[in-house]
Amino acid sequence: SQQGEEDPQALSIQEGENATMNCSYKTSINNLQWYRQNSGRGLVHLILIRSNEREKHSGRLRVTLDTSKKSSSLLITASRAADTASYFCASTGGGNKLTFGTGTQLKVEL
Amino acid sequence: KAGVTQTPRYLIKTRGQQVTLSCSPISGHRSVSWYQQTPGQGLQFLFEYFSETQRNKGNFPGRFSGRQFSNSRSEMNVSTLELGDSALYLCASRPPGTGDNSPLHFGNGTRLTVT
């Protein structure tokens, strides 16, 4: 399978804490994207980082990319209960096809 | 703008039957992709359509097929359903002229249960 791996599989934190999720992929990429999925719903795009970028910020989100290690991380700062969801990384190596990671289930408790 | 719309939201079918799922992309989006999501295999790419042509295909058997109409609406069909086809089927569209350096916009999916 070409599917990427995400770590941890599940993460439980208190509101206000930071959450870090890691993603590894297998092939060379054009870009790497992060998506959020609330239970049983569709995916919502969070952030995209191109292969020639090393770090990107969007609001409370910070994404890093290390192409030499074929890995990326997503940091959510000052987490809120509304951040509770599954988070997926997805890579594109051309052809408009996304290869998704296995996902991290994040639970933010009050 | 309305988002990606998938119908029906839920579907229950029996083994051996066939099913058709529908997807209406965001207005102006011509690229439509389909993904299957299961607890065991995760999110897997099925196929992508652009301007009524299949542009890319994942590793699924021929029982899975799709098409796109001139108004960019897309349908996917699964014939001779198997229990393992039970999944959330997600459709996504992409703005024109952006290639793969742009995000996909997903619908809320069709939950298919095969009994």
Side-chain angles (χ1 to χ4, degrees):
Chain A
S1 167
Q2 293 300 305
Q3 195 172 37
E5 297 286 328
E6 289 188 57
D7 171 62
Q9 286 189 340
L11 180 60
S12 182
I13 59 175
Q14 298 294 120
E15 201 172 45
E17 293 181 336
N18 296 341
T20 299
M21 292 159 250
N22 302 297
C23 162
S24 62
Y25 56 90
K26 297 182 180 181
T27 62
S28 60
I29 61 171
N30 291 342
N31 64 63
L32 189 130
Q33 305 177 36
W34 286 88
Y35 288 82
R36 185 188 74 226
Q37 183 179 37
N38 290 89
S39 182
R41 312 284 285 184
L43 283 78
V44 174
H45 179 261
L46 295 175
I47 194 166
L48 180 152
I49 185 166
R50 300 188 185 211
S51 59
N52 61 354
E53 297 176 311
R54 291 296 166 257
E55 187 171 312
K56 201 163 184 180
H57 297 253
S58 176
R60 294 184 296 113
L61 306 179
R62 172 180 169 253
V63 168
T64 61
L65 179 64
D66 187 335
T67 53
S68 67
K69 294 181 179 177
K70 290 188 169 61
S71 68
S72 175
S73 68
L74 171 68
L75 168 68
I76 304 174
T77 60
S79 62
R80 307 165 182 167
D83 294 329
T84 294
S86 292
Y87 291 81
F88 295 89
C89 66
S91 58
T92 56
N96 292 338
K97 164 190 164 183
L98 286 180
T99 301
F100 283 89
T102 50
T104 293
Q105 283 187 299
L106 172 66
K107 184 176 182 181
V108 181
E109 300 186 80
L110 296 170
Chain B
K1 260 185 183 177
V4 177
T5 304
Q6 291 188 247
T7 57
R9 186 79 176 90
Y10 300 95
L11 207 46
I12 300 175
K13 289 285 190 177
T14 304
R15 265 183 308 176
Q17 288 186 315
Q18 69 99 25
V19 67
T20 299
L21 312 182
S22 180
C23 171
S24 293
I26 291 173
S27 178
H29 289 195
R30 289 159 58 194
S31 166
V32 174
S33 301
W34 289 87
Y35 289 81
Q36 181 198 63
Q37 185 176 26
T38 60
Q41 298 299 315
L43 281 150
Q44 295 190 89
F45 172 77
L46 279 156
F47 25 64
E48 185 212 3
Y49 286 87
F50 181 82
S51 292
E52 302 178 65
T53 301
Q54 188 180 87
R55 193 157 68 171
N56 214 336
K57 190 177 189 304
N59 296 323
F60 278 82
R63 300 184 297 108
F64 291 80
S65 63
R67 60 178 175 167
Q68 187 179 33
F69 301 95
S70 58
N71 62 358
S72 294
R73 190 177 70 85
S74 178
E75 289 180 347
M76 68 162 281
N77 185 78
V78 188
S79 61
T80 320
L81 283 165
E82 300 176 0
L83 294 178
D85 297 333
S86 294
L88 180 67
Y89 289 88
L90 293 162
C91 168
S93 69
R94 189 194 298 272
T98 53
D100 63 2
N101 277 319
S102 67
L104 291 180
H105 299 260
F106 281 85
N108 282 325
T110 293
R111 171 75 64 186
L112 172 64
T113 302
V114 182
T115 62

